[in-house]
Amino acid sequence: MSAESTEHAISAEFDEDRDDTQNAADDSSQGAETGTGKSVSASRLEEEGDVAADYLEELLDIADIDGDIDIEVRNGRTYISIVAEEEAAGLDSLVGRDGEVLEALQELTRLAVLSATENRSRLVLDINGYRAERAGDLQKIAEDAVAAVKDSGEAVALAPMSAYERKIVHDAVADLGLVSESEGEGADRHIVVSAD
């Protein structure tokens, strides 16, 4: 893969993350399809899972960190989890403060898959159950924002978060009967919850 095509793919990935509201609509309407309109085969998702697992296993070996890698394919995406049987401080360091290191590691893993397969990946990486725990926190944030909007009638702006986290909040707000939109650019991209 040429440097130019890699640069184009990285740019496309960042453009996708900027427009998470459209991604949420794409995810729910397309199921196991990509934004290109092509069906993602189970074998392709399994291949990207294998490539990602090999990349992450090598990284864990280099860092001398113990962890088991689980691969799951669901809803047209590959989900990779790294877990440890015992408390592993090394794995926690791969999550970082507020999941920042985890987000960076997920992007590097996506690039490794892109480099090996020439297909852009939307894989989701989780370490030590951080994303599952964070999903509960995000549900609570959405519930609190909805309650505040219903009490005051005023829109509520939330703190900036990643595209993946914004999608979880958008879905939660919609389930609670209100409206949410993403505003801002880059690291300042955040959700505003309103009654309409």
Side-chain angles (χ1 to χ4, degrees), residues 28-142:
S28 62
S29 68
Q30 294 177 349
E33 294 183 8
T34 66
T36 62
K38 295 180 183 173
S39 177
V40 178
S41 70
S43 62
R44 182 173 136 197
L45 292 173
E46 289 170 5
E47 177 190 11
E48 85 176 25
D50 290 340
V51 169
D54 289 345
Y55 173 79
L56 292 166
E57 188 173 317
E58 195 171 317
L59 178 93
L60 292 174
D61 286 344
I62 291 168
D64 195 27
I65 297 172
D66 291 328
D68 296 322
I69 299 173
D70 295 324
I71 305 169
E72 182 181 354
V73 174
R74 66 179 190 269
N75 301 324
R77 264 192 200 201
T78 304
Y79 291 81
I80 309 279
S81 298
I82 304 175
V83 294
E85 292 180 14
E86 301 173 8
E87 283 295 314
L91 278 184
D92 288 340
S93 68
L94 294 180
V95 172
R97 190 180 64 125
D98 297 328
E100 290 174 345
V101 177
L102 174 59
E103 290 296 329
L105 187 55
Q106 177 176 276
E107 291 307 313
L108 289 172
T109 305
R110 287 177 173 182
L111 287 173
V113 170
L114 174 65
S115 178
T117 67
E118 296 189 359
N119 292 314
R120 194 165 53 96
S121 172
R122 297 178 359 165
L123 71 81
V124 175
L125 175 64
D126 193 10
I127 298 176
N128 268 353
Y130 173 82
R131 289 202 192 274
E133 183 178 322
R134 180 70 174 144
D137 295 342
L138 293 169
Q139 179 69 33
K140 176 78 169 104
I141 288 169

Side-chain angles (χ1 to χ4, degrees), residues 19-36:
D19 192 8
D20 61 286
T21 303
Q22 181 61 44
N23 286 346
D26 289 348
D27 286 347
S28 62
S29 68
Q30 294 177 349
E33 294 183 8
T34 66
T36 62

